[in-house]
């Protein structure tokens, strides 16, 4: 029976709506009903009542429940655009909520500026590392020194070189050591290959090993700095729009805005205008990849919204409605779920203040629960029930907010994947729009930028382009009866 009803629902919704709206709604409302029944101790009574109902009544209840979930899913699907704008940070610019908008935008502006400053710092370090590596002496190209050092000074310099190589950090470019290595090579050049003195032979061997290690260290330092800078640039590229565009107050919004900025900056086209023309001409595999990436993003946004908007009131209601807040099974379940949420928060946000705040709330709210489990609540806490309910409310509320934030962070990662799909779609298939509109393909990037600017202005505002900017492609040849290609007649 349930399978038949579900099959009909599957025919009503498309695959994306099923995965991102219907099934999350079905799971949430069913879970909410079961949770309410457990809190009221009426789950067993409901099961007995259900077992005694005729098949027609059971079918009617199932159909009614599915119909309610379908109706809710349709409402939620209609609000999808508003949900996207909420998570992308298109918040009020005026009124009380504008404070959150300004604070979020300033926070992301500072983060972007820090990444830009870090990129410039790494650029200077990379230049210094390249210069240090270029100053390294080439083997066999070093002449003898004009000023001869004492043997003690040569030994001291060898000791210093070996020490700095032993204690170095991978990304340290070892400034000045190429010059010092060259000076050592000039001092040892007169003794290279001719001396029979064992002491000088040992010095030459030590220098050969240290010089070879120094060469590898300089190369490794330059590569490490280049990799660090590449990581910073990748973060700037994926997570933030380029200045002077103002950042949005949410991470997801900045990721999507950076993807929207990509074709505008590279090719001079407006992605909002061109996207609706590009979608119908995409190859099936590429269009399916974009839809799957968007479905993953929508699913995680839906989970984050459900958990935060509806899970929090349900958790507070359960904490105040449960008849006996001191039941060991309930307390152990609350503490176990708190531990799982703490681990999840650490894995996603252990470098931010969110981890410390979550840990503090978990620890504070868990105290009365632990005391109750150890049978010390009566002596230490006077009003046992009230304190336990407050602890459960704090614990459940923190867990729900934490789960919502974890789902949102997952949506941010899914947003990066979706944004990359959008970028690659414009990079690879933008010319299909010109072909579909029978326009001539530009011959270089400068001409392409002029073409897209004129076309977007024409499509969006109806502005007529300059003469020669948008030219129609030549008519395609047609085949005659004798097999010879012939141009199609005009008109």
């Amino acid at each position: 029976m349930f399978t038949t009803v579900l099959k009909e629902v599957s025919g009503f919704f498309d695959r994306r709506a099923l995965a991102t709206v219907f099934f999350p709604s079905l799971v949430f409302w069913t879970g909410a009903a079961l949770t309410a029944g457990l809190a009221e101790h009426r789950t067993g009574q409901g099961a007995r009542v259900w077992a005694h109902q005729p098949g027609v009544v059971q079918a009617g209840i199932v159909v009614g429940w599915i119909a309610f979930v379908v109706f809710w899913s349709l409402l939620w699907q209609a609000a999808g655009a508003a949900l996207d704008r909420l998570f992308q940070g298109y918040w009020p610019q005026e009124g009380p909520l504008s404070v959150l908008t300004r604070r979020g935008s300033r926070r992301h502006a500072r983060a972007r500026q820090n990444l830009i400053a870090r990129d410039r710092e790494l650029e200077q370090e990379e230049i210094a590392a390249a210069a240090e590596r270029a100053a390294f002496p080439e083997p066999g190209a070093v002449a003898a020194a004009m000023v001869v050092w004492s043997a003690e000074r040569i030994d001291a310099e060898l000791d210093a070189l070996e020490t700095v190589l032993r204690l170095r950090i991978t990304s340290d470019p070892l400034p000045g050591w190429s010059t010092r290595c060259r000076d050592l090579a000039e001092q040892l050049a007169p003794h290279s290959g001719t001396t029979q003195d064992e002491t000088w032979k040992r010095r030459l061997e030590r220098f050969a090993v240290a010089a070879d290690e120094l060469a590898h260290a300089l190369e490794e330092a330059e590569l490490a700095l280049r990799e660090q800078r590449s990581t910073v640039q990748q973060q700037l590229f994926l997570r933030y729009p380029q200045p002077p565009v103002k950042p949005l107050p949410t991470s997801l919004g900045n990721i999507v805005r950076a993807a929207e900025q990509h074709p505008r900056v590279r090719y001079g086209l407006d992605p909002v205008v061109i996207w609706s023309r590009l979608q119908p001409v995409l190859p099936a595999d590429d269009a399916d990849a974009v839809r799957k990436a968007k479905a993953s993003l929508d699913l995680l946004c839906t989970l984050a919204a459900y958990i935060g908007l509806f899970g929090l009131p349900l958790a507070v209601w359960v904490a105040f409605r449960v008849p006996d807040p001191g039941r060991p099974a309930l307390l152990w379940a609350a503490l176990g779920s708190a531990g799982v949420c703490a681990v999840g928060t650490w894995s996603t946000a252990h470098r931010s203040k969110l981890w410390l705040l979550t840990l503090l709330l978990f620890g504070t709210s868990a105290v009365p629960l632990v005391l109750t489990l150890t049978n010390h609540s009566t002596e230490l806490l006077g009003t046992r029930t009230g304190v336990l309910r407050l602890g459960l409310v704090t614990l459940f509320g923190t867990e729900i907010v934490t789960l919502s934030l974890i789902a949102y962070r997952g949506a941010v990662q899914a947003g990066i994947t979706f944004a990359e799909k959008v970028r690659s779609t414009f990079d690879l298939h933008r010319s299909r729009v010109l072909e579909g509109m029978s326009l001539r393909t530009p011959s270089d990037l400068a001409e392409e930028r002029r073409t897209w600017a004129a076309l977007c202005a024409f499509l969006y505002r109806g502005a007529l382009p300059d003469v020669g900017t948008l030219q129609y492609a030549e008519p395609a040849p047609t085949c005659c009866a004798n097999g010879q290609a012939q141009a199609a007649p005009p008109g």
Side-chain angles (χ1 to χ4, degrees):
M1 177 179 59
F2 181 77
T3 306
T4 304
V5 175
L6 192 60
K7 183 179 180 180
E8 295 298 326
V9 172
S10 301
F12 184 76
F13 287 102
D14 59 15
R15 184 180 302 176
R16 176 181 166 187
L18 277 175
T20 61
V21 181
F22 175 75
F23 282 122
S25 300
L26 180 63
V27 172
F28 168 76
W29 284 113
T30 304
L34 292 176
T35 302
L38 289 172
E40 294 287 343
H41 289 284
R42 295 181 180 179
T43 306
Q45 180 183 356
R48 290 190 296 271
V49 172
W50 170 266
H52 288 85
Q53 298 300 320
V56 176
V57 176
Q58 292 180 350
I61 294 175
V62 171
V63 171
W65 181 252
I66 296 296
F68 166 74
V69 175
V70 168
F71 179 71
W72 173 265
S73 301
L74 290 174
L75 292 178
W76 192 263
Q77 190 175 14
L83 184 65
D84 285 343
R85 293 183 63 84
L86 173 66
F87 279 104
Q88 292 181 23
Y90 291 96
W91 301 346
Q93 300 295 325
E94 298 180 356
L97 295 179
S98 63
V99 177
L100 298 177
T101 305
R102 290 193 296 271
R103 290 187 61 180
S105 297
R106 286 197 298 265
R107 180 171 65 88
H108 284 287
R110 286 193 302 268
R112 183 178 67 179
Q113 190 58 41
N114 291 337
L115 286 174
I116 293 174
R118 180 58 178 163
D119 178 59
R120 293 172 179 171
E121 179 184 345
L122 289 172
E123 181 183 13
Q124 297 301 318
E125 294 181 7
E126 188 179 346
I127 292 174
E132 189 68 31
R133 187 181 174 193
F136 186 81
E138 293 291 337
V142 178
M146 300 296 295
V147 179
V148 180
W149 293 354
S150 64
E152 290 78 8
R153 182 177 177 183
I154 293 175
D155 289 337
E157 196 70 6
L158 282 172
D159 292 339
L161 177 58
E162 292 171 344
T163 301
V164 76
L165 288 173
R166 187 172 61 254
L167 301 178
R168 72 179 182 90
I169 302 175
T170 302
S171 59
D172 186 3
L174 301 174
W177 278 101
S178 291
T179 302
R180 296 176 69 172
C181 185
R182 178 181 294 274
D183 293 339
L184 264 175
E186 292 175 351
Q187 295 295 326
L188 295 172
H191 306 279
S192 178
T194 59
T195 182
Q196 299 297 323
D197 192 337
E198 292 296 328
T199 303
W200 283 106
K201 284 185 178 180
R202 285 194 299 271
R203 291 190 181 110
L204 289 170
E205 291 174 358
R206 290 176 61 192
F207 175 75
V209 173
D212 184 65
E213 187 176 348
L214 178 61
H216 285 87
L218 294 175
E219 181 180 3
E220 188 179 32
E222 187 177 0
L223 291 176
L225 290 171
R226 193 175 302 166
E227 183 177 352
Q228 290 181 29
R229 191 182 178 198
S230 176
T231 301
V232 172
Q233 291 177 340
Q234 184 183 38
Q235 294 297 312
L236 280 170
F237 175 74
L238 295 177
R239 293 182 175 272
Y240 293 103
Q242 299 179 21
V245 177
K246 183 180 179 181
L248 290 169
T250 65
S251 298
L252 182 59
N254 288 313
I255 290 169
V256 175
R257 175 169 284 189
E260 294 174 351
Q261 190 186 38
H262 176 83
R264 182 179 289 112
V265 172
R266 269 69 176 178
Y267 311 113
L269 63 86
D270 189 335
V272 178
V273 175
I274 300 301
W275 181 250
S276 59
R277 280 86 178 170
L278 180 58
Q279 277 186 304
V281 296
L282 285 178
D285 292 341
D286 295 272
D288 190 54
V290 174
R291 283 193 293 266
K292 287 181 179 179
K294 187 62 169 64
S296 299
L297 174 60
D298 291 343
L299 174 60
L300 288 167
C301 287
T302 299
L303 291 178
Y306 273 2
I307 294 171
L309 295 178
F310 306 112
L312 186 60
L314 179 63
V316 173
W317 180 85
V318 168
F320 279 106
R321 189 65 180 174
V322 65
D324 183 12
R327 294 180 62 189
L330 176 64
L331 299 182
W332 280 116
L335 292 175
S337 58
V340 172
C341 290
V343 173
T345 307
W346 182 87
S347 62
T348 57
H350 63 278
R351 296 182 179 180
S352 66
K353 297 178 181 178
L354 177 63
W355 161 244
L356 297 177
L357 178 61
T358 304
L359 189 63
L360 178 62
L361 290 175
F362 279 153
T364 304
S365 56
V367 170
L369 279 67
V370 174
L371 291 177
T372 301
L373 289 172
T374 55
N375 296 322
H376 290 294
S377 58
T378 305
E379 295 82 359
L380 297 179
L381 303 172
T383 56
R384 173 176 177 267
T385 303
V387 173
L388 276 179
R389 292 192 187 278
L390 182 60
L392 287 174
V393 167
T394 306
L395 197 63
F396 287 156
T398 306
E399 291 173 5
I400 292 298
V401 173
T402 300
L403 290 175
S404 181
L405 290 176
I406 291 174
Y408 173 73
R409 287 182 177 271
V412 170
Q413 296 301 317
I416 293 177
T417 303
F418 171 69
E420 279 297 278
K421 296 294 183 183
V422 172
R423 286 190 183 94
S424 62
T425 299
F426 278 106
D427 290 337
L428 299 176
H429 303 294
R430 67 189 184 280
S431 62
R432 292 176 179 268
V433 176
L434 300 177
E435 296 173 1
M437 300 182 72
S438 300
L439 295 175
R440 185 174 64 84
T441 304
S443 58
D444 56 33
L445 182 59
E447 183 183 358
E448 181 181 2
R449 292 178 63 86
R450 292 192 299 269
T451 300
W452 285 120
L455 180 60
C456 291
F458 173 71
L459 293 175
Y460 189 63
R461 298 190 299 273
L464 294 178
D466 296 335
V467 177
T469 303
L470 297 179
Q471 300 182 13
Y472 287 110
E474 295 181 359
T478 58
C479 291
C480 305
N482 57 5
Q484 298 294 324
Q486 186 178 39

